[in-house]
Amino acid sequence: MYINKMKRIFTLSIIAFITLITYNANAQDEPPVKNYFGFFGGISIPQGDFAKSTYDNNKAGFARKGLSYGLDGAVYFYKRLAIGASITYMDNNELNQANVDSLAAGYTRSFAADGATVTANNRYQTVSILLGPQYSFNYGKFIFDLRASAGIIKVYKTPETNILLTGVPNQTLTFYQRSASATVLAYSGTLAVRYKLSDNVHLVVRGNYINSSGPTIKNEGRSTDIGRLVTKQPISI
């Protein structure tokens, strides 16, 4: 029985090896992948803690879907290996009324207050600049691009909140979670599928995941650290 298992494993290994050799041989006959440059647009979808809207989670970003657009390109230096780069603008919206109401209820509970008034302004606006190695392979008229990148995110704005409590003697003044502006490190993974319409024109479907530890958040006017206190806002898109 052990010998039979070994034979099956050996046979499967030989088949996989032959398949790999055949694929590589066919790949040698494929036309080279050309350098490219293009524009893209789509939806920026927050992920992980960045997308959560939970008062008790200090990493929750209350971010929402928004507009994204930018430039993307790659320069091939060896067969199907390239250096790819992108510049992407992302808008992940502002706090809505449900978010503000949730925060007000949370602060009222944390401070044992009679009530809380929360007002919000500004929105998430960022630009990422990312660069990294890319591997591309053909399948008929399709080209698949795989890329790992690193770079920076320029955070222009984050939402700002003003909180006013009633019935809390040691916190009678309004306190603030300020909007942040910073340049932070980021990394990214990209998968794109290009369909060849002509030698110089491709239709592209592109997915991109970006992650960053995010900007430092300043808080002002607090007399205590009770309740929700955000000091760092991670970004995942």
Side-chain angles (χ1 to χ4, degrees), residues 123-178:
R123 59 200 297 124
Y124 287 108
Q125 291 183 320
T126 60
V127 172
S128 67
I129 302 175
L130 299 164
L131 178 75
Q134 175 173 308
Y135 177 76
S136 303
F137 61 93
N138 302 71
Y139 186 82
K141 286 191 173 184
F142 293 93
I143 300 175
F144 293 82
D145 301 319
L146 302 172
R147 183 189 302 171
S149 304
I152 61 171
I153 292 180
K154 171 59 179 176
V155 180
Y156 288 97
K157 294 179 181 179
T158 64
E160 179 168 307
T161 54
N162 310 334
I163 304 97
L164 177 62
L165 305 175
T166 56
V168 182
N170 65 338
Q171 184 66 66
T172 57
L173 299 178
T174 300
F175 59 98
Y176 307 88
Q177 178 184 306
R178 294 299 190 186

Side-chain angles (χ1 to χ4, degrees), residues 22-162:
T22 303
Y23 175 79
N24 286 339
N26 290 336
Q28 298 298 322
D29 298 329
E30 292 176 356
V33 185
K34 297 180 180 179
N35 301 342
Y36 69 88
F37 175 80
F39 303 90
F40 64 86
I43 300 173
S44 175
I45 304 175
Q47 305 292 323
D49 286 329
F50 190 49
K52 293 179 179 178
S53 54
T54 307
Y55 169 85
D56 294 310
N57 180 359
N58 286 335
K59 293 182 179 180
F62 291 77
R64 295 186 290 132
K65 294 178 183 178
L67 180 66
S68 175
Y69 57 85
L71 307 173
D72 183 80
V75 176
Y76 290 85
F77 60 89
Y78 180 75
K79 295 183 178 179
R80 286 165 178 77
L81 292 176
I83 295 295
S86 65
I87 301 176
T88 309
Y89 168 82
M90 293 165 286
D91 183 306
N92 289 106
N93 244 301
E94 58 191 353
L95 273 65
N96 59 25
Q97 189 61 48
N99 299 149
V100 170
D101 291 343
S102 174
L103 290 173
Y107 284 114
T108 299
R109 170 169 48 84
S110 295
F111 284 84
D114 293 335
T117 301
V118 176
T119 57
N121 58 79
N122 286 336
R123 59 200 297 124
Y124 287 108
Q125 291 183 320
T126 60
V127 172
S128 67
I129 302 175
L130 299 164
L131 178 75
Q134 175 173 308
Y135 177 76
S136 303
F137 61 93
N138 302 71
Y139 186 82
K141 286 191 173 184
F142 293 93
I143 300 175
F144 293 82
D145 301 319
L146 302 172
R147 183 189 302 171
S149 304
I152 61 171
I153 292 180
K154 171 59 179 176
V155 180
Y156 288 97
K157 294 179 181 179
T158 64
E160 179 168 307
T161 54
N162 310 334

